[in-house]
Amino acid sequence: MSEQMSDDDERQQSPPSDLDFTSNKARTCIVTGSVSGHTEFQSPYPDQVLENVLENVLHFLTSRRDRNTASLVCKSWYRVEALTRSELFIGNCYAVSPARATARFTRVRALHLKGRPRFADFNLMPPDWGAHFNPWVLAFAKACPWLEKVYLKRMSVTDDDLATLAESFLGFKELVLVCCDGFGTSGLSIFVSKCRQLKVLDLIESEVSDDETDWILCFPEGESHLESLIFDCVEYPINFEALERLVARSPSLKKLKLNRYVSIGQLYRLMVQAPQLTHLGTGSFSPSEIAGQGDQEPDYVTAFAACKSLVCLSGFREIIPDYLPAIYPICANLTSLNFSYANITAEQLKPIISNCHKLQVFWVLDSICDEGLQAVAATCKELRELRVFPVDAREDSDGPVSEVGFQAISEGCRKLQSILYFCQRMTNAAVIAMSRNCPDLVVFRLCIMGRHRPDHVTGEPMDDGFGAIVMNCKKLTRLAVSGLLTDKAFDYIGRYGKLVRTLSVAFAGDSDMALKYVLEGCPQLQKLEIRDSPFGDAALCSGLHHYYNMRFLWMSSCRLTYQGCQQIARAMPRLVVEVIRSADEEEMDVCVQTLYMYRSLEGPRNDAPKFVTIL
Amino acid sequence: MEVGRKMANMLGTDDDLNFKETELCLGLPGGIAVVAAGNETESSSSPKTNGKRGFSETVDLKLNLQSKESTMDLNKNLDDNGSKEKSGSAKDPAKPPAKAQVVGWPPVRSYRKNIMANQKNSSEESGNSGAALVKVSMDGAPYLRKVDLKMYKSYQELSDALAKMFSSFTMGNYGPQGMIDFMNESKLMDLLNSSDYVPSYEDKDGDWMLVGDVPWQMFVDSCKRLRIMKGSEAIGLAPRAMEKCKSRA
């Protein structure tokens, strides 16, 4: 968003400066309250007073949308807003350069960057496409040494970058890496050893390579400021004794998410040290192999009962269901429960879920079947977010969950705001029911795993179901569609999906009309990702009026040609149009395998790999 | 339009059955039958996603190539009316049927897919399916490698593979079946002295043993990781290895 405002800003450089001066004077009058004679009075630095006041006021403005708007009022507001912005969010790291960002926002404390497009997570793009953190860390190291927090999603971070972070920012406090890669345990070691003020280190679904360095041991001795340590994605053993000592000397620790190499016995020892935890990732939740037969099992129930503040529970990476009863004491307090790595049955779930009256977020595997979902619907009346993942993520697997569980959820969990549901069978009726029962839905992502699968009762396309969702769920901003869909479904989306910002489409639609409906009908559309759908150059052209308002458009395995994409690139100079091939394809073909285009103030990037051609 | 689509659907469904039979599969032959018959899909083996991360990345790569080929073919026929998948299956039976598994579909991150595959592996009793990935480190080499022991049938094959990976490594003369004769101490010492590098491995008990002390299959089952160490260092292992061997015999 901030890039868009910059765009507009540049066009507004043209207003004459006397206009600016007049408006400043007028504002000074308002500020001091007196009217007469004020235009003659030479206050020392009227702009200075204004700016001081503005600065004080704008410090309170936190929403970035509000800030973007404020920065457009006039030059002086632009300047002051830039000085007072402490959190900088950049939704596409290539939309603006580090130099430009640091030049405008000089006092940033927190940086939030997003890199690769989401479809890269599904191997639809060769690795090493880009999104390197390196130029950012170097630029900020020079220009904003008081940076305290960095949040990265889908970026490539190297060990050197981690070292730079730790060495250049003395007060560095929080590092959150989501779906990142490129670094290893040696980078982590340097980072933790040098960041003496570290409060948060969250590694979430990131790929951490094993350089055989003991990074847990590298946390400095003495009392630590750690409040959150999340490393459940690290796929290597860690030094447990060192971790135990670390937890013991971290009195502020509230969030701890362990990886699967921590056994339940070890979990017990940690919980005993840290009953103040609010968020716990349990690690493997099974005993290590070394546990002897005769050893007495610790009292897990008491350990859980002692954690009176525990509200968020996850982990269970290698669960032995026999140990599940240990968590009974805290079920009633839980607001978030993540069983999405626990292959448990409905019978094993029921005693747990029947106590989770306060649950708001629930992630689970489809192993619980429709019956398990019915149990959820019966108890979890406060549920806001549900994600049901497949144990067996293949098109032709048996589906243990269906429209039955889906409908049960819609009837039981009326406050539902966000749903992600993988299944093999669905009906329009169930989807329509959800659209009526859950009017608060903001995120609706339904993945019928078999491609082009119709309503399995009527044989009809799934158009009416998704149509009902966009019609009835008036707050909907994110939609992912699947199943057999004709152009009609997209007609509905264009007509009723007025707030939709993110749309994901796969194997859907009949013709260019479908894409046209969406591009012409959805004014809030920011992120559009499409794969394997029959949309061609003509459809692409129908969005020319809108592409500058979008963060990106992704289209892979559609009907685009090189010429069509070039036309767009010529028509829109501030759009970066990337054509991406598979890594082993040498030449440019007439047909475009993948198009990824995004607005940018910087023009084509200079770090594009061989398989990317920028038009 | 409606009729045509229904036709395509029906044909699509038929082709789905065909896909299963003609599906080129990188897993064990028994895999497909289990999937087709079973209700208990959660515990049945998944032909495509067996194995740890390295393996499934390979599988994904292969799928990528094949999927690319089929989409490239269909891309060239821009006059097709239906979508690529439909036209491949419904309208042109002469073309090979589209792969039942498509790259990146369903949209589940490989991170999650790998974890589910790993869980399946560790819960299976037979332990015969899936890869046996072990880390290989070589003294003096800056990086670790991983090998899948199930890819080899003998010590000789493993030795060849390791030689390719670590070019300065050659295994000494290991005798007819590739096994070390631990009973003969002097022979053992000769072997260790003559080799620059000797492979050792960590077994299930956590002990470091010399590679070649047990029959191949037993080795595959008990080896947790490999370390290629200097012959001079390996001499330190020899006594314990011999002890263990004698106690087994």
Side-chain angles (χ1 to χ4, degrees):
Chain A
M1 271 308 203
S2 69
E3 315 85 72
Q4 185 201 4
M5 294 309 143
S6 301
D7 234 333
D8 291 347
D9 251 332
E10 303 233 349
R11 291 183 223 128
Q12 279 179 1
Q13 296 289 324
S14 40
S17 49
D18 56 304
L19 205 68
D20 213 9
F21 179 63
T22 315
S23 59
N24 270 349
K25 273 208 284 203
R27 220 167 263 108
T28 317
C29 293
I30 293 165
V31 163
T32 58
S34 64
V35 179
S36 58
H38 230 268
T39 45
E40 263 94 38
F41 180 76
Q42 295 290 317
S43 60
Y45 300 105
D47 287 348
Q48 194 66 55
V49 173
L50 170 64
E51 293 213 0
N52 288 343
V53 171
L54 257 183
E55 218 177 298
N56 284 314
V57 170
L58 285 183
H59 269 299
F60 292 100
L61 214 58
T62 45
S63 145
R64 62 177 190 260
R65 287 210 187 103
D66 289 347
R67 284 191 155 270
N68 292 343
T69 313
S71 71
L72 288 180
V73 170
C74 65
K75 267 190 183 173
S76 133
W77 279 52
Y78 174 90
R79 227 177 5 250
V80 177
E81 190 285 311
L83 284 174
T84 56
R85 190 179 295 225
S86 61
E87 279 194 35
L88 181 58
F89 172 86
I90 295 174
N92 175 1
C93 64
Y94 287 119
V96 67
S97 71
R100 194 187 289 262
T102 52
R104 177 172 169 187
F105 300 106
T106 51
R107 297 198 196 156
V108 164
R109 296 280 164 134
L111 174 63
H112 184 141
L113 272 178
K114 293 190 179 181
R116 286 184 285 277
R118 198 178 72 96
F119 272 11
D121 290 352
F122 311 123
N123 299 336
L124 290 181
M125 196 161 77
D128 306 322
W129 169 80
H132 302 288
F133 182 50
N134 184 259
W136 291 90
V137 72
L138 294 178
F140 272 79
K142 263 193 244 148
C144 296
W146 33 78
L147 191 67
E148 294 177 348
K149 303 185 199 182
V150 166
Y151 179 111
L152 302 178
K153 186 166 187 180
R154 291 196 191 94
M155 300 222 27
S156 288
V157 182
T158 62
D159 289 341
D160 286 339
D161 296 336
L162 291 176
T164 310
L165 261 184
E167 286 157 9
S168 313
F169 304 98
L170 296 176
F172 199 80
K173 296 199 172 68
E174 293 186 21
L175 180 63
V176 179
L177 300 177
V178 180
C179 300
C180 293
D181 61 10
F183 63 101
T185 49
S186 41
L188 285 178
S189 302
I190 305 178
F191 179 76
V192 303
S193 66
K194 299 205 172 168
C195 268
R196 303 263 153 176
Q197 307 295 322
L198 194 64
K199 285 192 184 169
V200 171
L201 176 59
D202 292 350
L203 305 171
I204 299 168
E205 287 192 39
S206 292
E207 206 173 303
V208 183
S209 62
D210 183 17
D211 314 319
E212 306 236 307
T213 345
D214 189 343
W215 59 283
I216 299 278
L217 199 58
C218 291
F219 277 91
E221 287 300 325
E223 186 166 297
S224 113
H225 303 274
L226 265 186
E227 294 174 10
S228 173
L229 179 61
I230 296 179
F231 63 93
D232 52 355
C233 62
V234 173
E235 286 292 298
Y236 308 103
I238 46 104
N239 179 339
F240 178 73
E241 282 69 34
L243 178 63
E244 201 175 6
R245 290 195 301 272
L246 177 62
V247 169
R249 66 179 191 274
S250 305
S252 311
L253 194 66
K254 292 282 194 291
K255 301 188 190 183
L256 180 63
K257 297 199 183 179
L258 309 164
N259 72 4
R260 64 184 175 95
Y261 288 90
V262 179
S263 69
I264 192 170
Q266 291 171 329
L267 170 68
Y268 174 84
R269 283 158 62 178
L270 294 174
M271 287 177 75
V272 160
Q273 300 272 14
Q276 77 280 7
L277 288 176
T278 57
H279 293 59
L280 176 64
T282 64
S284 67
F285 213 69
S286 55
S288 66
E289 287 161 21
I290 306 170
Q293 254 76 320
D295 288 357
Q296 189 144 42
E297 292 261 51
D299 187 353
Y300 299 116
V301 177
T302 306
F304 273 94
C307 293
K308 304 216 181 294
S309 314
L310 208 50
V311 292
C312 172
L313 196 59
S314 62
F316 308 104
R317 292 295 174 115
E318 282 161 7
I319 188 173
I320 304 270
D322 302 13
Y323 289 99
L324 265 180
I327 73 172
Y328 287 165
I330 46 128
C331 287
N333 296 336
L334 282 181
T335 55
S336 171
L337 178 58
N338 182 348
F339 269 152
S340 68
Y341 296 105
N343 195 332
I344 56 174
T345 63
E347 284 317 305
Q348 289 160 342
L349 176 70
K350 280 183 192 170
I352 307 277
I353 209 74
S354 57
N355 290 322
C356 295
H357 300 279
K358 287 195 193 160
L359 207 59
Q360 294 185 17
V361 176
F362 186 49
W363 291 23
V364 72
L365 285 174
D366 62 4
S367 57
I368 63 166
C369 303
D370 288 328
E371 197 187 330
L373 290 171
Q374 285 163 332
V376 173
T379 316
C380 304
K381 300 301 175 191
E382 297 298 315
L383 201 66
R384 304 284 195 270
E385 177 179 324
L386 174 68
R387 295 197 194 191
V388 181
F389 292 97
V391 166
D392 189 359
R394 288 178 307 145
E395 272 191 89
D396 40 13
S397 58
D398 284 345
V401 297
S402 69
E403 75 278 3
V404 171
F406 192 81
Q407 181 136 359
I409 291 287
S410 79
E411 286 162 8
C413 308
R414 298 297 175 110
K415 298 189 186 175
L416 203 62
Q417 292 172 0
S418 169
I419 184 162
L420 169 63
Y421 197 85
F422 283 86
C423 60
Q424 294 285 5
R425 300 182 348 224
M426 188 48 59
T427 61
N428 281 306
V431 180
I432 294 170
M434 181 165 285
S435 76
R436 294 207 181 109
N437 293 332
C438 305
D440 291 339
L441 277 174
V442 173
V443 173
F444 186 81
R445 299 159 71 190
L446 176 61
C447 182
I448 302 169
M449 291 194 273
R451 290 169 288 152
H452 311 297
R453 222 166 259 182
D455 177 322
H456 89 100
V457 166
T458 65
E460 294 291 304
M462 292 298 299
D463 299 339
D464 290 339
F466 285 103
I469 291 287
V470 286
M471 263 189 264
N472 299 333
C473 301
K474 311 232 190 289
K475 304 181 192 171
L476 196 76
T477 57
R478 181 169 180 185
L479 180 64
V481 300
S482 62
L484 179 66
L485 293 171
T486 71
D487 290 349
K488 196 162 128 202
F490 296 92
D491 185 12
Y492 287 137
I493 296 174
R495 249 194 268 167
Y496 301 103
K498 294 305 177 188
L499 296 182
V500 170
R501 293 206 297 263
T502 307
L503 180 63
S504 303
V505 177
F507 306 102
D510 298 322
S511 74
D512 284 351
M513 283 314 296
L515 183 53
K516 279 190 189 167
Y517 289 138
V518 168
L519 288 171
E520 288 166 5
C522 300
Q524 298 295 324
L525 196 61
Q526 299 261 298
K527 300 182 257 182
L528 181 54
E529 43 189 31
I530 303 174
R531 64 167 293 184
D532 294 277
S533 300
F535 309 142
D537 300 335
L540 196 62
C541 286
S542 63
L544 283 171
H545 66 286
H546 190 62
Y547 292 138
Y548 280 154
N549 293 333
M550 289 177 64
R551 192 180 294 173
F552 70 79
L553 169 67
W554 166 291
M555 286 177 69
S556 59
S557 304
C558 297
R559 299 257 176 105
L560 301 174
T561 69
Y562 192 81
Q563 281 156 307
C565 296
Q566 241 173 355
Q567 257 187 307
I568 304 287
R570 272 190 225 118
M572 309 198 75
R574 300 272 201 174
L575 216 56
V576 173
V577 179
E578 292 194 14
V579 171
I580 306 172
R581 311 184 272 291
S582 342
D584 46 4
E585 222 173 298
E586 278 308 323
E587 285 172 10
M588 277 307 308
D589 203 12
V590 174
C591 302
V592 161
Q593 168 71 12
T594 300
L595 166 72
Y596 179 57
M597 65 190 205
Y598 49 90
R599 66 185 172 197
S600 172
L601 293 174
E602 312 301 340
R605 58 187 173 112
N606 53 12
D607 62 356
K610 283 187 293 150
F611 52 84
V612 171
T613 307
I614 300 183
L615 300 179
Chain B
M1 259 301 239
E2 290 284 332
V3 175
R5 203 178 308 114
K6 278 211 170 111
M7 286 287 290
N9 284 344
M10 281 157 56
L11 286 166
T13 330
D14 282 343
D15 274 354
D16 275 342
L17 291 177
N18 280 337
F19 292 167
K20 281 202 181 99
E21 286 163 31
T22 60
E23 188 178 303
L24 295 173
C25 189
L26 291 162
L28 297 175
I32 299 172
V34 175
V35 169
N39 304 325
E40 56 283 330
T41 340
E42 299 91 70
S43 50
S44 66
S45 64
S46 160
K48 287 260 174 334
T49 53
N50 268 342
K52 308 217 168 115
R53 188 184 301 166
F55 189 62
S56 42
E57 269 176 349
T58 317
V59 171
D60 268 343
L61 258 170
K62 292 195 168 126
L63 285 176
N64 199 5
L65 285 172
Q66 281 153 340
S67 165
K68 178 206 80 170
E69 277 163 19
S70 60
T71 46
M72 285 299 285
D73 273 341
L74 299 165
N75 253 328
K76 291 195 173 105
N77 302 327
L78 285 177
D79 330 274
D80 278 349
N81 289 335
S83 76
K84 269 184 267 308
E85 276 63 39
K86 277 192 213 155
S87 61
S89 58
K91 303 216 170 119
D92 196 340
K95 283 204 180 89
K99 297 284 297 173
Q101 303 300 333
V102 169
V103 174
W105 187 263
V108 175
R109 290 204 188 114
S110 6
Y111 172 72
R112 178 174 285 280
K113 273 190 186 156
N114 290 333
I115 291 180
M116 299 316 301
N118 280 344
Q119 283 187 2
K120 222 176 273 175
N121 280 345
S122 49
S123 67
E124 268 158 1
E125 271 101 14
S126 64
N128 270 334
S129 52
L133 282 178
V134 297
K135 281 191 215 173
V136 188
S137 62
M138 176 156 141
D139 287 356
Y143 46 80
L144 294 179
R145 303 297 296 268
K146 273 188 177 161
V147 285
D148 175 5
L149 293 177
K150 300 227 159 128
M151 308 252 302
Y152 312 108
K153 294 195 210 67
S154 68
Y155 283 116
Q156 190 56 49
E157 283 186 20
L158 176 64
S159 153
D160 291 341
L162 289 179
K164 285 205 195 89
M165 268 187 218
F166 299 98
S167 47
S168 51
F169 163 65
T170 44
M171 236 154 98
N173 183 1
Y174 267 52
Q177 274 151 348
M179 280 177 61
I180 298 178
D181 183 1
F182 276 86
M183 296 308 155
N184 186 335
E185 190 170 338
S186 61
K187 226 183 179 177
L188 182 62
M189 286 309 163
D190 280 347
L191 174 66
L192 294 178
N193 280 323
S194 67
S195 320
D196 286 331
Y197 287 98
V198 167
S200 61
Y201 72 101
E202 185 181 2
D203 71 5
K204 272 192 187 140
D205 305 327
D207 295 324
W208 283 93
M209 312 294 292
L210 290 173
V211 167
D213 58 342
V214 294
W216 172 252
Q217 195 50 52
M218 208 189 285
F219 167 71
V220 172
D221 288 338
S222 62
C223 171
K224 275 169 52 183
R225 60 178 297 175
L226 281 165
R227 179 178 155 205
I228 303 177
M229 52 178 29
K230 294 225 173 67
S232 45
E233 272 189 60
I235 289 180
L237 286 183
R240 198 178 343 128
M242 288 177 62
E243 280 296 313
K244 205 158 179 175
C245 238
K246 283 180 186 149
S247 66
R248 272 198 208 114

